[in-house]
Amino acid sequence: AQSVTQLDSQVPVFEEAPVELRCNYSSSVSVYLFWYVQYPNQGLQLLLKYLSGSTLVKGINGFEAEFNKSQTSFHLRKPSVHISDTAEYFCAVRVSGGGADGLTFGKGTHLIIQP
Amino acid sequence: GAVVSQHPSRVICKSGTSVKIECRSLDFQATTMFWYRQFPKQSLMLMATSNEGSKATYEQGVEKDKFLINHASLTLSTLTVTSAHPEDSSFYICSATSGFPNSPLHFGNGTRLTVT
């Protein structure tokens, strides 16, 4: 079974400052990795995903993440945040390959942008 | 782009009644749909996976007789919470795909269920 750990439940950052949201995973098999954003009372929107290839993945809204297999991490970064980035961010993992397996989510990190 | 419509967005029901939540894929064929439950300030917990035309596969600890899932067509899956109780109050989110992970996994906007 897979598991995801998001160490920070809440991260306050000043506007235009850089941010990193941490994500570590545990799995005995190869995995795919994802970051999703959730705005209040809404579903999830995909920010980016790592399936294979380059370990540095660029997503929407200026976010990027780097897959580090040796550290089993997939931290999310943005060089300059905006007020509109205030939301809940979820890291998720899924076993690699086909099939109908669902995602396993971390507990989420609430990103709070301060003016 | 592809959209998943989830309805209703909010529902309040009395204890003992049943509630049906619909999840529709609007412009793609959803061969697989997932139902998640989210508690306040917590992560999403996968409840079940449904493939069109097949019985849903429930995660351990999820009561299949309480949370009835039907995926009768390639564009519609329903979750029925039977004999709802206050502890069933939660945020339920569906997601759908035509072939994850190579095809995207699209999420509905969720349903806030409150059982009084």
Side-chain angles (χ1 to χ4, degrees), chain A residues 32 34 36 38 41-46 49 51 88 90 94 97-108, chain B residues 10 32 34 36 38 41-46 49 51 91 93 100-110 112:
Chain A
Y32 297 141
F34 306 81
Y36 285 87
Q38 184 182 33
N41 292 313
Q42 292 189 30
L44 276 69
Q45 180 182 7
L46 179 66
K49 63 183 177 183
L51 302 185
E88 195 79 20
F90 291 97
R94 179 193 179 276
D101 295 282
L103 294 170
T104 298
F105 286 88
K107 290 189 174 182
Chain B
R10 292 178 180 270
T32 305
F34 303 95
Y36 287 89
Q38 186 178 28
K41 299 189 183 299
Q42 293 192 31
S43 186
L44 285 77
M45 290 177 49
L46 179 64
T49 302
N51 293 297
F91 194 56
I93 304 177
F100 193 63
N102 292 317
S103 295
L105 181 64
H106 301 282
F107 284 81
N109 281 335
R112 173 75 59 192

Side-chain angles (χ1 to χ4, degrees), chain A residues 19-85:
Chain A
V19 69
E20 178 179 83
L21 305 183
R22 297 181 292 170
C23 172
N24 288 87
Y25 70 93
S26 174
S27 176
S28 58
V29 297
S30 295
V31 296
Y32 297 141
L33 294 154
F34 306 81
W35 274 100
Y36 285 87
V37 60
Q38 184 182 33
Y39 298 100
N41 292 313
Q42 292 189 30
L44 276 69
Q45 180 182 7
L46 179 66
L47 282 177
L48 47 78
K49 63 183 177 183
Y50 171 78
L51 302 185
S52 65
S54 173
T55 56
L56 182 62
V57 180
K58 293 189 182 297
I60 63 171
N61 300 342
F63 285 94
E64 65 179 32
E66 185 156 20
F67 171 54
N68 188 318
K69 188 175 182 180
S70 63
Q71 296 185 3
T72 60
S73 68
F74 191 55
H75 301 331
L76 180 70
R77 295 191 291 260
K78 185 170 182 177
S80 176
V81 296
H82 302 284
I83 289 287
S84 59
D85 292 323

